[in-house]
Amino acid sequence: LEEAEEQLSTARRTETKNLHAFEMVKQSLEDELKYANKEIDEAKAGLAAAGEKKSKAEGDLAVTSKGLEEDIKALGDLHHECMSKAEDFEAETKSRGEELAAIAKAKEVIKENVGGAEKLSYGLEQVSLLQVGSAAASRAVRLVRDLAKTQHSAALAQLAVRLR
């Protein structure tokens, strides 16, 4: 009987020891599972945050790309307008040069035909060369008027009126 009690006591100690070992393994596995689930939840939250950040960045990229396209178009338009204005300026400068040359030529023609008239004194009864309608003066006026028409210049047209 003592031997059976001894065996029973040993079996109970072994069972208690094994139960304790089982509880330790079970607790360890439960802790690992708990930490693994926590890490999975953190990874899911990080993944969701990264997805949201990516979506926001893609939206910003789309807006920026659209803005860039608009800016490139505006730059092209501005460049075209600038080149057009530069061509207009060049044409106006050339036209002004031609106007100045025509005025100089008209002045020269008038000086040739009037000659030393500025040294002479005229009385009220005398008639000036321009009043007589000298051919050279008429030619100068006609030259300035024609140039005004071809160049579409209001300034030259006004000068032609004053020269009459």
Side-chain angles (χ1 to χ4, degrees):
L1 188 69
E2 275 185 38
E3 200 177 304
E5 285 182 12
E6 181 73 31
Q7 284 179 353
L8 181 60
S9 176
T10 305
R12 283 185 182 162
R13 272 192 300 242
T14 305
E15 184 180 347
T16 304
K17 187 178 170 184
N18 286 342
L19 182 61
H20 181 66
F22 170 77
E23 290 294 325
M24 293 296 284
V25 169
K26 179 182 172 188
Q27 184 64 40
S28 173
L29 290 175
E30 284 175 352
D31 288 344
E32 283 182 34
L33 187 60
K34 180 177 151 186
Y35 289 119
N37 285 336
K38 183 179 176 185
E39 286 179 359
I40 286 173
D41 291 341
E42 288 174 359
K44 285 180 182 178
L47 186 61
E52 185 177 319
K53 197 173 185 180
K54 178 186 173 201
S55 296
K56 184 177 184 284
E58 286 174 344
D60 290 346
L61 177 64
V63 168
T64 303
S65 295
K66 183 178 179 187
L68 178 62
E69 287 175 13
E70 290 172 358
D71 289 345
I72 288 172
K73 184 180 182 291
L75 177 64
D77 292 346
L78 185 63
H79 179 67
H80 177 70
E81 182 180 340
C82 182
M83 294 305 291
S84 175
K85 291 204 183 231
E87 289 172 1
D88 291 346
F89 177 77
E90 190 175 316
E92 288 173 7
T93 303
K94 182 180 177 187
S95 175
R96 276 191 208 103
E98 291 172 355
E99 288 173 4
L100 290 174
I103 291 171
K105 188 172 182 180
K107 189 176 177 182
E108 182 182 318
V109 168
I110 291 171
K111 277 186 180 181
E112 284 176 5
N113 290 317
V114 175
E118 72 271 359
K119 293 178 186 170
L120 300 176
S121 64
Y122 297 101
L124 290 176
E125 68 279 351
Q126 292 180 333
V127 180
S128 76
L129 290 174
L130 289 177
Q131 287 175 339
V132 172
S134 89
S138 296
R139 196 174 114 220
V141 171
R142 196 172 32 246
L143 179 70
V144 172
R145 188 182 62 228
D146 291 345
L147 186 62
K149 285 180 184 177
T150 59
Q151 296 296 321
H152 304 288
S153 172
L156 282 177
Q158 190 175 17
L159 177 64
V161 169
R162 285 185 186 170
L163 287 176
R164 283 188 200 166

